[in-house]
């Protein structure tokens, strides 16, 4: 439910309503058709972002071209660095105990 109120989705819906009001009484021209295609792309991107946010939250693999994957890869790098540091510290501690 919280994803339904994302800013991208709200903006796409409000743009669609505005576009519908503007083209309701006008004849369909190539500009109007292009506007509807643009709105469709915007809506698809907004829905895709919501799907990616949901997948990332559940821990499911997100496509590499998603902005969510950048966050996930940074988090994975931090965790890997911490685990390597902890392993090195443990090895140093074990060496000190042996000496």
């Amino acid at each position: 439910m919280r994803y339904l109120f994302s800013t991208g989705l709200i903006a796409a819906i409000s743009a669609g309503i505005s576009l519908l009001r503007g083209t309701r009484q006008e004849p369909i021209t190539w500009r109007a058709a292009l506007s509807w295609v643009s709105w469709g792309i915007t809506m698809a991107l907004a829905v895709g972002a919501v799907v990616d946010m949901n997948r990332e939250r559940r821990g499911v693999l997100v496509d590499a071209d998603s902005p969510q994957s950048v966050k996930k890869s940074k988090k994975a790098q931090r965790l890997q660095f911490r685990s390597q540091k902890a392993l090195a510290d443990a090895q140093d501690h074990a060496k000190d105990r042996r000496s």
Side-chain angles (χ1 to χ4, degrees):
M1 184 71 175
R2 69 188 228 188
Y3 299 113
L4 294 178
F5 296 111
S6 69
T7 55
L9 203 54
I10 290 174
I13 290 170
S14 64
I17 291 170
S18 175
L19 186 60
L20 182 64
R21 287 181 183 161
T23 59
R24 186 177 286 173
Q25 296 175 359
E26 298 292 321
I28 296 180
T29 63
W30 66 273
R31 289 184 183 121
L34 191 60
S35 296
W36 279 108
V37 169
S38 174
W39 175 80
I41 292 170
T42 302
M43 190 67 171
L45 288 172
V47 169
V50 168
V51 169
D52 284 346
M53 284 190 296
N54 190 17
R55 284 182 181 167
E56 195 272 331
R57 183 175 168 261
R58 290 185 292 144
V60 178
L61 186 63
V62 180
D63 292 333
D65 63 345
S66 171
Q68 297 298 322
S69 70
V70 174
K71 292 178 188 176
K72 196 164 189 113
S73 68
K74 285 183 181 179
K75 186 177 181 180
Q77 286 175 351
R78 280 193 304 254
L79 289 174
Q80 183 180 13
F81 176 76
R82 287 179 187 164
S83 64
Q84 287 175 350
K85 188 174 187 309
L87 180 63
D89 290 344
Q91 288 173 346
D92 288 342
H93 184 67
K95 281 183 184 178
D96 290 343
R97 291 182 82 192
R98 284 188 226 148
S99 310

